[in-house]
Amino acid sequence: MRIYPRGTVLYNKDKAYNGINLISAAKDGVLLISMCGDELARYNLNPMPAKMLSNGNIISPTEFRTSDFGVSDGISLVEINKEGKILWEFSRNKFIKDRGYKEKWMARVHSDFQRQGHALDYCHSYKEFQTNKTLMLTHDSVHVSSISDKDLLDDVILEVDDCGNILWKFSFSEHFDELNFSEEAKNVIYRNPNLRITENPIGNYLDLTSISYLGANKWYDMGDSRFHPDNILFTARAANIIGIIDRKKNKIVYTLGPGLDKYSKFSPIIGSAFATLIPKGLEGEGNLLIYDNGGPCGYGPATIFAPKGLFPFVRGYTRILELNPLTLDINWMVDPRDFGFSIPLRGYKFYSPYGGNLERLPNGNTLITLTTEGMALEVTREKELVWLWTSPYRMDTENMLNNSLVYRVYRYPYNYWGIDDYPEREIKEINQSYFKLPGAGEFSTAKPINVEGAELNKDIDPLSQESESLKELRVSKEIYSRNHHRIKTISSYDFYEKTKNLTGIVIFGAIRCTHCGPLIELMTDLLDEEFPKISCYYLDIDANNSIARNLEITSIPLVNFYKNGELVYYFKGENTYDNIADVIDKYLI
């Protein structure tokens, strides 16, 4: 048995983006909490997910169809006020007759929705007005013999007005050929389209989990019609697809996946359950923010884990990617190693194979929901953890014992809830490494006995043979953060723009690099004391491997000196204060 603190367990008030957290807790309804974890309100809804509007109203599914006949089918989608009164409702999508139940209209809404005019994932870009259009993801039961000889659970996107009229509809089964499945994958889908066990088994062959309007973005401004603001971004977790639907053409015009062949610049995205385009005005605007879950997915070649080709792709940990959608360069990334968990032994500690969402906050931080861990965390651009909440609510049912699933977490400004501020209390991180109960023995009381010729090597994982020097990683992160005021971080996203006319310096390194930290400390002192007008940038090659590949960087640290955009000198490894000063005098002054 492992014991964890619950609720808010870490909160850095100065570095976090402060506001109200809306938590979609499985079987515990909609929960609103402050940053320090005070409960502000709870609503008995089935939030998959729930979202808040700028007037404090909340939109959420109400209840679900029985699992004997449906797969996460929400009966209706409602908008409620603070008192819980229903102000708007949509259910008249399909008239359902389930054996033994009263026949009724159902929305069959699931997994995601968006009220147009409210970019519901991004409090920064909310508009003052609210339109009467709601985009929602729904289900339909179909039989398409060209796809499978089994019944299919089709994903259908609807746009409805405030009167419940369906204004636009997109059925994925009608666009199957636009999803770019290989013939091998099509054969697998035909035989087993991810059958779900209901009274009449049905194939959830795509399993869409997120949809959103693209919104205003620089790609459309530059002439790429695929990124029209009204077009729709979606993720299909089971099929391993991230795509864009052109509303006017009624056609899928952009895809990542379903195969792994497009990923030449980094290891493939596996089973993404959430993606969104970062809006204008936020850090990384125009990039895709992708929840790269890593859970079993896809259709393709038989493997030892997928002998019939169903879900052959899997990775035992989660990554968060900020990706240029055109070049597929990674601009920013988070994985288990950023929290001190080595891969492969401990990568599972940052892993949510299903569910989850991301939110780029106005201060540049990123909010991450680890659904299957019942956890939400906020990290800075430098990957410092500044807020951590673990669910104290437990789901205890016949099929899912002692589970604390949290579907999604969203952050909203205080004034959405009608308050100017909240008396938040900062919460310091506790040292869990040596937490013990009363009566348990003391740690490290026995004096080690030295053995001649033997020495403990604490930097290598003895099973994977990979470096695991967490102290060095922590020190390196502190060095980079401390010197960020003088040496600015750049990425593959802006490297060429920054260097095309640069007279200055670029340091190429990585957090894992033991020589990079001391060099950055030295360079900071040198530039502050001797060359205050010289620009200096730092680029992490682990997070920007396309640059490392293009520049053929084989060792770090590497320090390049540019004069009017031309590379005039470089050195590798550490160097002395005087030597570097001489280089700057000779080549840059």
Side-chain angles (χ1 to χ4, degrees):
M1 180 181 71
R2 294 183 292 178
I3 299 173
Y4 299 99
R6 296 286 169 178
T8 301
V9 297
L10 170 66
Y11 172 38
N12 186 325
K13 188 175 180 179
D14 293 332
K15 292 187 176 182
Y17 179 75
N18 301 304
I20 291 175
N21 300 283
L22 187 153
I23 297 168
S24 298
K27 300 298 182 183
D28 283 290
V30 178
L31 172 67
L32 298 180
I33 66 167
S34 68
M35 297 295 291
C36 58
D38 293 340
E39 285 193 8
L40 305 177
R42 292 180 69 178
Y43 297 93
N44 288 325
L45 293 165
N46 282 278
M48 284 193 68
K51 301 181 182 182
M52 185 187 291
L53 303 180
S54 57
N55 57 8
N57 291 349
I58 291 172
I59 302 180
S60 171
T62 52
E63 56 182 321
F64 289 111
R65 183 184 184 186
T66 173
S67 59
D68 293 337
F69 299 98
V71 180
S72 301
D73 287 353
I75 293 177
S76 62
L77 186 69
V78 300
E79 177 184 343
I80 64 170
N81 63 14
K82 288 184 180 180
E83 291 72 38
K85 180 181 178 181
I86 294 177
L87 305 177
W88 173 86
E89 180 175 8
F90 175 78
S91 61
R92 297 180 71 85
N93 179 28
K94 296 292 180 180
F95 193 70
I96 303 298
K97 300 178 181 180
D98 289 334
R99 181 180 54 80
Y101 291 85
K102 183 179 179 180
E103 55 191 44
K104 64 172 69 175
W105 283 98
M106 293 186 188
R108 298 194 70 181
V109 63
H110 73 95
S111 301
D112 211 357
F113 60 85
Q114 183 177 343
R115 175 67 57 81
Q116 191 178 37
H118 287 266
L120 287 169
D121 301 348
Y122 294 90
C123 52
H124 176 79
S125 59
Y126 284 0
K127 298 180 180 179
E128 293 298 324
F129 68 90
Q130 176 178 328
T131 73
N132 60 356
K133 295 180 181 179
T134 303
L135 194 73
M136 66 183 73
L137 187 53
T138 69
H139 279 147
D140 193 10
S141 302
V142 300
H143 188 92
V144 184
S145 58
S146 60
I147 298 176
S148 177
D149 59 354
K150 316 295 192 302
D151 289 338
L152 298 175
L153 187 67
D154 196 21
D155 285 296
V156 180
I157 301 176
L158 302 180
E159 186 179 71
V160 304
D161 63 17
D162 58 350
C163 296
N165 300 308
I166 296 175
L167 306 175
W168 180 78
K169 177 179 178 180
F170 187 92
S171 301
F172 276 82
S173 62
E174 298 174 3
H175 299 267
F176 183 76
D177 290 339
E178 297 167 14
L179 294 169
N180 299 321
F181 287 112
S182 67
E183 288 303 315
E184 185 176 40
K186 290 178 182 178
N187 289 335
V188 175
I189 293 171
Y190 189 87
R191 295 192 302 271
N192 184 354
N194 186 25
L195 287 171
R196 307 300 295 270
I197 305 304
T198 58
E199 185 171 84
N200 298 304
I202 193 165
N204 191 12
Y205 69 112
L206 295 179
D207 190 18
L208 261 73
T209 48
S210 73
I211 56 170
S212 60
Y213 296 105
L214 288 178
N217 64 86
K218 64 182 182 181
W219 310 119
Y220 182 71
D221 294 344
M222 294 164 60
D224 194 330
S225 62
R226 296 175 300 173
F227 291 84
H228 189 286
D230 291 337
N231 288 352
I232 296 167
L233 177 69
F234 69 88
T235 59
R237 189 204 61 79
N240 197 38
I241 298 173
I242 299 171
I244 294 175
I245 300 167
D246 188 306
R247 286 280 305 276
K248 289 185 177 180
K249 295 179 180 178
N250 215 43
K251 180 181 179 181
I252 298 170
V253 293
Y254 176 98
T255 57
L256 285 175
L260 310 183
D261 53 300
K262 288 187 178 181
Y263 299 104
S264 60
K265 294 187 175 182
F266 59 95
S267 58
I269 294 169
I270 302 294
S272 173
F274 184 90
T276 190
L277 196 71
I278 301 175
K280 285 185 173 181
L282 295 181
E283 181 73 34
E285 64 176 64
N287 289 332
L288 284 171
L289 195 58
I290 298 172
Y291 202 117
D292 184 7
N293 294 67
C297 67
Y299 306 93
T303 68
I304 190 171
F305 300 108
K308 296 185 178 181
L310 175 64
F311 293 177
F313 311 139
V314 65
R315 185 189 59 243
Y317 61 90
T318 290
R319 302 184 303 181
I320 308 303
L321 304 177
E322 182 187 314
L323 190 70
N324 182 310
L326 272 58
T327 66
L328 301 188
D329 287 325
I330 294 177
N331 190 45
W332 184 77
M333 179 176 71
V334 171
D335 69 22
R337 291 167 293 192
D338 294 304
F339 304 102
F341 305 134
S342 63
I343 298 171
L345 285 187
R346 303 170 72 211
Y348 70 91
K349 291 193 173 185
F350 186 74
Y351 186 35
S352 183
Y354 311 104
N357 71 300
L358 304 166
E359 186 176 348
R360 177 57 50 81
L361 299 168
N363 64 352
N365 292 354
T366 302
L367 185 65
I368 304 168
T369 305
L370 284 176
T371 289
T372 55
E373 292 294 315
M375 183 181 295
L377 54 146
E378 180 182 344
V379 296
T380 67
R381 198 70 178 167
E382 293 72 40
K383 305 177 186 180
E384 178 184 355
L385 186 63
V386 296
W387 184 76
L388 176 62
W389 180 87
T390 58
S391 177
Y393 306 96
R394 314 297 291 177
M395 182 167 67
D396 192 357
T397 69
E398 182 179 348
N399 297 321
M400 301 182 73
L401 299 177
N402 202 27
N403 195 297
S404 57
L405 289 175
V406 170
Y407 184 59
R408 289 185 185 175
V409 176
Y410 290 103
R411 179 77 49 78
Y412 298 95
Y414 293 117
N415 60 19
Y416 278 38
W417 195 241
I419 58 178
D420 295 328
D421 202 352
Y422 189 84
E424 304 283 11
R425 305 176 300 279
E426 188 157 295
I427 298 172
K428 302 291 186 181
E429 185 177 15
I430 64 170
N431 183 359
Q432 300 182 49
S433 302
Y434 297 102
F435 177 81
K436 69 183 187 69
L437 296 175
E442 296 293 332
F443 301 112
S444 301
T445 56
K447 183 178 180 180
I449 298 173
N450 293 323
V451 178
E452 185 177 355
E455 181 180 355
L456 283 175
N457 190 329
K458 299 180 180 180
D459 292 342
I460 299 295
D461 175 345
L463 297 181
S464 67
Q465 296 297 306
E466 293 186 6
S467 174
E468 202 179 34
S469 180
L470 301 185
K471 180 179 179 181
E472 290 176 355
L473 289 176
R474 184 167 59 251
V475 169
S476 294
K477 287 183 178 181
E478 291 173 355
I479 289 172
Y480 298 150
S481 177
R482 186 164 62 246
N483 293 283
H484 187 69
H485 74 282
R486 186 61 183 86
I487 300 177
K488 303 299 184 183
T489 299
I490 58 174
S491 67
S492 56
Y493 180 69
D494 56 358
F495 170 76
Y496 294 106
E497 179 66 27
K498 293 290 187 183
T499 58
K500 67 179 181 180
N501 296 309
L502 175 66
T503 295
I505 304 165
V506 178
I507 303 171
F508 300 89
I511 290 178
R512 59 179 166 80
C513 169
T514 57
H515 298 285
C516 294
L519 176 65
I520 289 174
E521 293 265 49
L522 184 148
M523 292 288 290
T524 300
D525 292 341
L526 172 63
L527 295 172
D528 281 343
E529 295 168 5
E530 306 285 346
F531 305 99
K533 294 184 179 181
I534 293 293
S535 298
C536 186
Y537 298 101
Y538 168 77
L539 187 141
D540 187 323
I541 66 167
D542 285 348
N544 302 276
N545 50 21
S546 63
I547 292 292
R549 185 167 50 252
N550 292 342
L551 299 183
E552 299 181 348
I553 298 174
T554 57
S555 64
I556 51 175
L558 167 67
V559 183
N560 282 359
F561 296 80
Y562 296 87
K563 181 77 169 182
N564 298 324
E566 296 292 328
L567 178 64
V568 293
Y569 187 83
Y570 70 89
F571 69 80
K572 297 179 181 180
E574 294 188 50
N575 212 323
T576 67
Y577 186 104
D578 290 339
N579 284 347
I580 300 173
D582 289 343
V583 170
I584 295 175
D585 277 329
K586 181 177 180 179
Y587 291 100
L588 304 186
I589 301 302

